[in-house]
Amino acid sequence: MNVWAIAVNTFREAVRDKILYVLAVFGLILIFVSRAVGWISYGGELKIMTDLGLAAIWLFVALISIFIGTQMIYKEIDKRTLYTILSRPIRRWEFLLGKYCGLLLTSLVILAALSAVFLAYLKLMGAPVTGAILQALFLIFCEMMLVTALAIFFSSASTPVLSAVFTFMIFGVGQLTKWIVDLGNLIQDQAPGMKLALKLFYFLMPNLDNFNVRAQAVHAAARGSGWAIPPEQMLSIVVYGGAYTAAVLLAAALVFRRRNF
Amino acid sequence: MAETITQGVPALRIEGLRMVYHPGLFQRRKLALHGLDLEVPKGSIYGFLGQNGAGKTTTLKTLVGLQMPTAGRAWIFGTDIRESASRAKVGFMPENPYFYEYLTARETLDFYGRLAGMPRAERRRRGEYLLERFGLGHAKDGSMRDFSKGMRQRLGLAQAILNQPPLVLLDEPMSGLDPLGRRDIRNEILALRDAGCTVFFSSHILSDVADICDRVCILHEGRKVAEGRLPKLLGQRVLEVQMSASGVPKEGLHEAAKLARRAWHDGELYHLLLESEDLALKAKEAIERGGGTLRRLVPHHESLEEYFIRVTREGDVARLAGAEEGSAAPEAASAPGPRGGLGA
């Protein structure tokens, strides 16, 4: 009940913030501009349009999650609005989870709105719309689940600027985790310590590249195939995302539990 | 009040509450509370006084779970403050309360009502009632951005008593308000007490405290320096006694006048200002020996402000003496807070 009340309030805060609409409009513009990029490229215009459209949605939902998420808890402390909330019979983890769910709900609504426009636009342009595209969109949401948790974690312990820097860093590194493995393989046995450190780093960092099936989705859609990746692979990605998100939220709750306001 | 309260249990009990802040690696730790003991009886208005930095806000924040005490315990109607259930019996208004600017006053109260677990119809009914009662009816659908300080303060009190808690904790509720605003808040506090609620509030506006409090606690640099019922605390020390008499012959009058700090004639009456009750008794005897009649005898007690200044000074002297003897704890010297005047 408490979690839901805070989540609804957080969602209300986000939808009454003009910045959200500015970002959403930019997202829409990029979806439509993807068509123009398709025109100037040689062949496969619809594939490029689909690819760019999906990337635009991914980028703008990520920006919204990170920008709002990294400010969220700090703003509550700075504006002292949490004094009248945490002084009620509510546990701190409930507050944190409520803020997280509210932001995730915001991301979901934005993602759904942008996706609806995008899919309608694809249909209008005669591009194939298959389950593979929906799969890619769903995995964008799963990725945002994790990114939002990271933003909340840093926001519960640090300032908005530092939180944004850390979240963007992990967001960036998370896209490149495959390269970390490749780098470890290149090192071979010359520096075993370094290789171990890279391996540890790889396991600690969220593998956000897992969630990126956009290229596979575009190819599958072009072939008329239903799936970008097999359902069992998708299930393992979702479980991985859920477990990582739960661990990050747990860490955030532990940090937040001992804070004095 | 709506809550069922265990009989015989105080509204609030604090035992050895201690708070030490550790600001950073290279900064000195700060002692904000030094083993505070306190008991607030049910149904009373309790004033929590102290200079800025004395530890009032720290105590209040600790009681509602915003801060974790370094040591010590506290109970709200018998429930340990470490349990979130203790906060179901408390309404808290922080100093200069802030609210979500994107919500209206009506939405704000509805939100707090949901957090308090109130059903929708009850939230609506109680919210509307409080907005009207606190003179915010005209602004209930307006943006919180347009709220003045006084309006925020009144909304702060409204959210604290929304679910009719049996204990209300208010941090500087009259701070920054104009005389009318202060009067309104004072009247609300009295109305809460009349409704059976216990009110515990911090303030450095001593006239307001003297007007409405049953008991007070004075905190100085994290230590309790005085506590008790106001009439008892202020009645302990007589600053001067004013005496009026009639029909006193000149020789008797002369003898009594020697005992007085000041004596003057006003028509039929002769007035004397005496420094103590003992002197007043001697003067009375002198007047009666001379055939005069005592008409009026008024002892002037310390005002709360005078009492406050005296006990905080005595606290300083005791602390300094303790430090000189080397008996003071090392943290005591690093206790935070400005040593300036009230409300500085």
Side-chain angles (χ1 to χ4, degrees), chain A residues 39 75 84 97 140-141 156 180 184 192 208:
Chain A
W39 281 329
K75 214 161 84 181
T84 42
L97 190 62
I140 289 176
F141 175 70
S156 66
I180 298 171
L208 298 179

Side-chain angles (χ1 to χ4, degrees), chain B residues 225-256:
Chain B
V225 289
E227 201 264 340
R229 289 181 65 80
L230 255 184
K232 199 178 167 196
L233 290 177
L234 303 182
Q236 282 171 348
R237 189 169 156 134
V238 174
L239 290 181
E240 60 178 16
V241 180
Q242 190 176 355
M243 186 184 281
S244 303
S246 63
V248 182
K250 278 196 173 177
E251 56 277 20
L253 187 149
H254 188 68
E255 196 188 333

Side-chain angles (χ1 to χ4, degrees), chain B residues 148-207:
Chain B
S148 67
K149 185 182 169 82
M151 290 164 84
R152 280 173 194 269
Q153 208 87 342
R154 278 179 277 159
L155 189 65
L157 187 55
Q159 64 80 29
I161 63 171
L162 184 66
N163 58 329
Q164 297 173 284
L167 172 65
V168 178
L169 307 179
L170 311 171
D171 193 4
E172 302 284 358
M174 289 107 166
S175 145
L177 292 181
D178 60 27
L180 279 179
R182 276 167 50 195
R183 188 202 59 190
D184 289 346
I185 298 276
R186 244 180 3 236
N187 289 341
E188 283 306 326
I189 291 174
L190 288 169
L192 282 170
R193 195 254 318 262
D194 293 344
C197 183
T198 308
V199 183
F200 181 85
F201 77 99
S202 74
S203 183
H204 52 236
I205 302 173
L206 298 177
S207 57

Side-chain angles (χ1 to χ4, degrees), chain B residues 269-325:
Chain B
L269 290 177
Y270 195 76
H271 304 285
L272 297 153
L273 264 185
L274 299 127
E275 279 183 356
S276 70
E277 287 168 305
D278 288 345
L279 286 174
L281 283 175
K282 284 178 188 164
K284 175 179 170 276
E285 283 164 11
I287 286 167
E288 286 172 350
R289 271 200 308 273
T293 311
L294 184 71
R295 294 289 175 197
R296 209 163 69 109
L297 189 91
V298 184
H300 287 287
H301 295 283
E302 267 183 314
S303 70
L304 181 57
E305 186 174 310
E306 287 159 337
Y307 180 75
F308 180 89
I309 291 168
R310 181 167 64 84
V311 293
T312 50
R313 277 192 186 148
E314 283 170 3
D316 279 339
V317 170
R319 187 177 54 78
L320 290 171
E324 274 174 18
E325 285 166 19

Side-chain angles (χ1 to χ4, degrees), chain A residues 179-253:
Chain A
W179 292 15
I180 298 171
V181 184
D182 294 343
L183 197 64
N185 291 337
L186 276 178
I187 288 172
Q188 295 289 342
D189 294 329
Q190 288 111 349
M194 186 60 142
K195 195 174 175 182
L196 188 72
L198 280 173
K199 204 166 188 174
L200 198 68
F201 188 61
Y202 170 75
F203 282 119
L204 277 178
M205 286 292 111
N207 190 350
L208 298 179
D209 192 46
N210 267 347
F211 301 94
N212 182 3
V213 296
R214 294 188 293 275
Q216 293 99 305
V218 171
H219 290 298
R223 286 197 313 271
S225 163
W227 299 106
I229 51 171
E232 55 273 22
Q233 189 187 344
M234 177 140 152
L235 184 68
S236 72
I237 294 171
V238 172
V239 169
Y240 169 78
Y244 205 108
T245 301
V248 173
L249 286 177
L250 188 67

Side-chain angles (χ1 to χ4, degrees), chain A residues 21-44:
Chain A
Y21 297 100
V22 173
L23 282 171
V25 166
F26 272 111
L28 283 174
I29 290 171
L30 207 68
I31 289 170
F32 293 118
V33 164
S34 64
R35 176 71 181 145
V37 178
W39 281 329
I40 56 171
S41 56
Y42 179 74

